[in-house]
Amino acid sequence: MSLLTVRDLTVTFPTPRGPLDAVRSLDLDLEPGGALGIVGESGSGKSMTSLAIMGLQPRAAKRTGSVRLLDQELVGMSEAELRRVRGDRIAMVFQDPLSSLNPYYTVGLQIEEAYRAHRPGTTRRVARRVAIEALERVHIRDAARRVDHYPHQFSGGMRQRVMIAMALSTEPELLIADEPTTALDVTVQAQILDLLQEIRRETGTGLVLITHDLAVVSEVTDHIVVMKDGVCVERGAVEQIFTRPQHPYTRALLDAVPRIDDEIGELRAVANEKNGGPA
Amino acid sequence: MSAPLLRATHLVKEFPVLGTGGIVRRPDTFRAVDDVSFEINAGDTLALVGESGSGKSTTARLAARLLDVTSGTVELDGEDVTRLGRADLRRFRSDVQVVFQDPYSSLNPRHTVERIVTAPLLYQQRGIPGGARAFTRSLMERVGLDPDHSQKYPAQFSGGQAQRIGIARALAVGPRVVVCDEAVSALDVSVQAQVINLLRDLQREEGLTYLFIAHDLAVVRQIATRVAVMTQGRIVEEGDRDAVFDAPQHEYTRKLLDAVPRIRPEWEAERRRNAALAAEGAR
């Protein structure tokens, strides 16, 4: 059975000029332990997709279609039921770890609270042990001491590790990472990407990685969905997308990526890009 | 060989550490730039690369005289400009201009494009050749913007277009050196490619000299002629672009290059082969 099956997912916003689809008729499939990359530029609807999977789309928006986690349908679920799924079976990591963590509490307390919310009846002592183990799993050294530190005492990369530790503490089946390394330095990014790979190998957690960075998805995921203006323009196995892209937009996107290995004469700009040339 | 156009020698910048000073005690200082020297020849692009906190942006600001040095000298065309006063700085600013990372926060949202790009000339109390309207139109054409949009406001442009306005403003005074501080970092990849192309075209056509600050090594490979790698306030390696990328000498440079995510070269090669075959078949 597929871990995640999304069918005809549409997120619609009412606007003064009529309804606007931020995501339109999107299908996604992820096998248990698989890694799916959703790539697109700003405004492509990739982040709205990740929010809509968890039912976190803005209040004004309407979500239709089907989102199934194993055999459970998430569209139409009550908020209380959804809350049990979120953070427990589906966990999420965002771009900016500093704004996702509460600066007033130690990271340990925040992991403990999140864990206890999903495992009622857990004692503080057990939760604290879970927190320390979670920090160890993401390779934070001296976890037993670091658990009592505040977010500002961690570097950007370490904070993102804390977020991943928190996300994994409940042993979710699916981890959604939305631009998890975009705000990080390149050497730190490499470490976080390695960590995500390792977690997937060792725990079998499915991964949905949302990013604008084609090189990142090419290294981390095995299937890719390319989004533009709220719709999927192309999907396929990673090697297929990178060697035989079919859609003109995918081709243009690949042509526009600056390479580190050689200088390519003129970087080909994406044709008819509405954000591009003169309006 | 001619002398370098821009030369920085033993630049040091120290900032006071907040909350460490007292009434009689001087505050502790943090050395953000620690003995940095570089030269740029006319028509070249020197890229300063490094991770956050490496001191690359502070170095750029020292070179552009947006910040005062703690010690060291900045020379433009052989003239020491490190201690220029107000009036002389004006002259310096018509030679050295800066393009910043975020066009929306570096362009006044309440001013039209025309007012934005002519402002540097007004500040310098120079006339606007051919009048503001015609001058703006020709500038907009040079950076690939529709000249009919000269009365629009920054918010009415997309990110890539807004950055073109930032470039137009820098070009307005006819500078010799343009300092690009992460000028393409915030742009989508397709738009980024266009702005990189624009910067390269402008350099080729007008002989501009760039000091290019970036954290993205792939972008640097596309635009730099020389590369200096910074970490912890120091330049640890400097050389011709291909030498630095293909045969990095310093351990930190190697670590940095290794960490860059890459599309597999064999996939790249196959994609280009397939694209060439498809183009062949279409004919």
Side-chain angles (χ1 to χ4, degrees):
Chain A
M1 189 186 293
S2 268
L3 173 62
L4 179 73
T5 315
V6 173
R7 288 291 172 269
D8 201 22
L9 179 68
T10 300
V11 181
T12 309
F13 285 85
T15 75
R17 278 178 269 170
L20 182 80
D21 294 341
V23 179
R24 187 160 67 245
S25 294
L26 186 70
D27 295 347
L28 300 174
D29 292 279
L30 178 65
E31 296 303 314
L36 173 70
I38 302 180
V39 293
E41 298 190 288
S42 29
S44 63
K46 58 189 192 301
S47 286
M48 191 54 66
T49 301
S50 69
L51 292 173
I53 290 173
M54 310 235 294
L56 288 172
Q57 71 281 358
R59 229 167 254 270
K62 200 174 94 208
R63 177 183 69 160
T64 59
S66 160
V67 176
R68 279 212 325 276
L69 184 68
L70 293 174
D71 54 357
Q72 200 169 21
E73 176 60 54
L74 305 186
V75 175
M77 244 186 194
S78 73
E79 189 56 30
E81 288 172 310
L82 267 177
R83 218 172 292 138
R84 276 200 293 277
V85 174
R86 276 186 223 133
D88 185 358
R89 300 184 60 199
I90 306 180
M92 198 155 179
V93 178
F94 296 96
Q95 173 172 340
D96 180 7
L98 196 53
S99 64
S100 312
L101 288 165
N102 187 327
Y104 289 107
Y105 297 104
T106 64
V107 299
L109 192 69
Q110 296 183 60
I111 299 175
E112 288 165 36
E113 296 250 301
Y115 183 78
R116 273 152 48 104
H118 291 288
R119 301 282 184 277
T122 312
T123 63
R124 300 276 325 247
R125 255 190 55 211
V126 171
R128 186 177 163 83
R129 206 172 60 227
V130 168
I132 293 172
E133 282 172 9
L135 293 178
E136 282 170 349
R137 186 142 32 120
V138 297
H139 308 302
I140 290 182
R141 258 178 282 166
D142 209 359
R145 192 171 58 87
R146 294 291 263 165
V147 73
D148 292 321
H149 285 183
Y150 292 86
H152 75 265
Q153 294 171 286
F154 292 83
S155 65
M158 282 296 169
R159 276 181 216 132
Q160 199 57 294
R161 284 174 195 267
V162 169
M163 288 309 297
I164 295 171
M166 187 185 297
L168 294 176
S169 64
T170 55
E171 296 172 2
E173 295 144 86
L174 176 62
L175 179 65
I176 300 178
D178 188 353
E179 302 274 11
T181 60
T182 304
L184 304 177
D185 275 329
V186 59
T187 52
V188 180
Q189 163 170 281
Q191 294 163 8
I192 297 291
L193 294 178
D194 284 348
L195 176 65
L196 288 175
Q197 291 291 57
E198 176 192 321
I199 285 162
R200 190 159 73 91
R201 259 197 324 271
E202 287 176 5
T203 65
T205 305
L207 176 69
V208 174
L209 179 70
I210 289 144
T211 179
H212 69 285
D213 192 325
L214 287 150
V216 167
V217 280
S218 82
E219 286 191 351
V220 175
T221 64
D222 38 51
H223 281 80
I224 291 179
V225 166
V226 181
M227 287 187 74
K228 181 179 195 295
D229 299 335
V231 295
C232 162
V233 295
E234 185 162 1
R235 67 178 66 240
V238 58
E239 185 173 351
Q240 182 198 328
I241 298 282
F242 279 92
T243 58
R244 293 182 300 281
Q246 301 299 312
H247 195 280
Y249 178 70
T250 313
R251 290 187 195 154
L253 214 50
L254 283 167
D255 279 338
V257 176
R259 318 277 169 209
I260 192 168
D261 299 311
D262 63 332
E263 185 189 6
I264 32 183
E266 189 83 339
L267 286 170
R268 256 168 295 171
V270 175
N272 299 325
E273 171 59 37
K274 68 170 181 193
N275 292 328
Chain B
M1 214 178 95
S2 61
L5 182 56
L6 187 70
R7 188 207 308 257
T9 316
H10 302 305
L11 291 184
V12 172
K13 180 65 183 177
E14 290 179 339
F15 292 103
V17 178
L18 221 61
T20 56
I23 293 168
V24 287
R25 205 176 95 73
R26 286 187 34 186
D28 297 341
T29 55
F30 170 72
R31 192 170 271 218
V33 175
D34 188 6
D35 194 14
V36 164
S37 302
F38 61 82
E39 298 179 346
I40 318 177
N41 290 324
D44 271 2
T45 300
L46 173 70
L48 279 183
V49 302
E51 299 190 288
S52 41
S54 62
K56 58 187 190 300
S57 278
T58 306
T59 302
R61 275 153 210 256
L62 294 176
R65 290 296 326 271
L66 298 179
L67 277 176
D68 289 326
V69 301
T70 302
S71 65
T73 56
V74 179
E75 287 166 63
L76 179 71
D77 214 359
E79 182 195 2
D80 186 345
V81 295
T82 325
R83 312 269 166 213
L84 290 186
R86 279 180 82 92
D88 293 323
L89 257 186
R90 220 173 258 156
R91 196 162 43 78
F92 175 78
R93 300 229 183 280
S94 66
D95 280 326
V96 180
Q97 281 285 308
V98 186
V99 178
F100 297 95
Q101 172 167 359
D102 180 2
Y104 295 114
S105 67
S106 53
L107 302 175
N108 190 326
R110 294 177 180 279
H111 289 182
T112 63
V113 176
E114 181 174 307
R115 190 155 167 207
I116 287 169
V117 302
T118 53
L121 287 168
L122 296 179
Y123 292 143
Q124 294 181 5
Q125 296 165 1
R126 286 162 53 176
I128 299 169
R133 183 61 50 90
F135 179 76
T136 305
R137 290 185 67 96
S138 80
L139 257 184
M140 289 180 83
E141 275 170 8
R142 268 165 76 196
V143 299
L145 287 169
D146 185 342
D148 290 340
H149 294 164
S150 65
Q151 301 305 313
K152 287 192 170 184
Y153 296 87
Q156 294 173 280
F157 293 87
S158 68
Q161 290 171 329
Q163 194 56 299
R164 287 172 195 264
I165 300 172
I167 293 170
R169 177 178 59 182
L171 295 180
V173 297
R176 290 191 280 173
V177 179
V178 177
V179 177
C180 302
D181 189 0
E182 300 276 10
V184 301
S185 306
L187 305 175
D188 270 332
V189 58
S190 58
V191 181
Q192 185 181 61
Q194 294 169 356
V195 176
I196 292 172
N197 287 338
L198 171 66
L199 290 171
R200 291 203 297 207
D201 292 346
L202 287 169
Q203 180 165 54
R204 202 172 43 234
E205 288 158 15
E206 314 192 10
L208 289 173
T209 304
Y210 292 136
L211 175 58
F212 194 87
I213 313 304
H215 69 279
D216 186 330
L217 292 153
V219 166
V220 165
R221 179 113 207 194
Q222 305 308 319
I223 200 160
T225 49
R226 289 183 68 77
V227 176
V229 182
M230 285 192 74
T231 180
Q232 295 176 353
R234 289 172 167 267
I235 291 179
V236 294
E237 177 162 1
E238 201 213 328
D240 282 334
R241 178 197 57 184
D242 290 350
V244 172
F245 276 92
D246 297 337
Q249 298 301 308
H250 195 277
E251 189 194 347
Y252 178 74
T253 313
R254 283 198 285 270
K255 185 177 145 203
L256 207 55
L257 286 169
D258 280 347
V260 175
R262 287 173 170 79
I263 298 168
R264 292 187 203 176
E266 66 268 23
W267 287 358
E268 258 314 284
E270 192 179 336
R271 182 174 69 85
R272 288 184 198 179
R273 252 193 328 271
N274 289 336
L277 283 175
E280 195 105 324
R283 269 195 287 142

